[in-house]
Amino acid sequence: VNLKESEKDYKLINISYKVPKGGLLEKRVKIIIFDNDGTKKIFDDLVRSGSLIEKPIKVNGQTILQIFINNEFVEEKKYD
């Protein structure tokens, strides 16, 4: 079923993630979301340990966010 843009359940969520301290001075952080529109990589960059990543993101319906550090899965968050 194809829904028109106006019929989709879009909302704005604010992603906030504090990169753990320790280990390497810089870490590759990748954040992926899964929502009704599919899978999207919303962040993929080298950041300093202890940094705060904040990003508003438009999602469609129930959303799962996965965070990877140096390509290792570290956390999953769900947004209804």
Side-chain angles (χ1 to χ4, degrees):
V1 175
N2 284 337
L3 296 175
K4 290 185 257 176
E5 288 290 312
S6 61
E7 294 173 336
K8 293 184 179 181
D9 185 21
Y10 283 110
K11 61 187 168 233
L12 194 64
I13 59 173
N14 289 306
I15 305 301
S16 180
Y17 180 71
K18 178 103 169 159
V19 180
K21 292 183 177 180
L24 300 171
L25 205 53
E26 288 188 325
K27 297 177 170 80
R28 162 98 27 213
V29 177
K30 185 166 37 176
I31 301 175
I32 298 173
I33 61 165
F34 305 88
D35 68 5
N36 291 340
D37 288 340
T39 303
K40 289 179 268 196
K41 185 177 359 176
I42 60 164
F43 189 88
D44 188 358
D45 209 351
L46 279 174
V47 295
R48 293 186 67 82
S49 295
S51 296
L52 180 63
I53 299 168
E54 292 182 305
K55 186 174 179 88
I57 199 84
K58 187 169 95 171
V59 298
N60 179 12
Q62 187 176 17
T63 302
I64 296 172
L65 174 137
Q66 291 184 338
I67 300 168
F68 297 81
I69 295 181
N70 297 329
N71 291 319
E72 289 186 27
F73 173 77
V74 293
E75 190 172 335
E76 182 172 283
K77 297 179 181 181
K78 293 183 182 173
Y79 299 87
D80 289 323

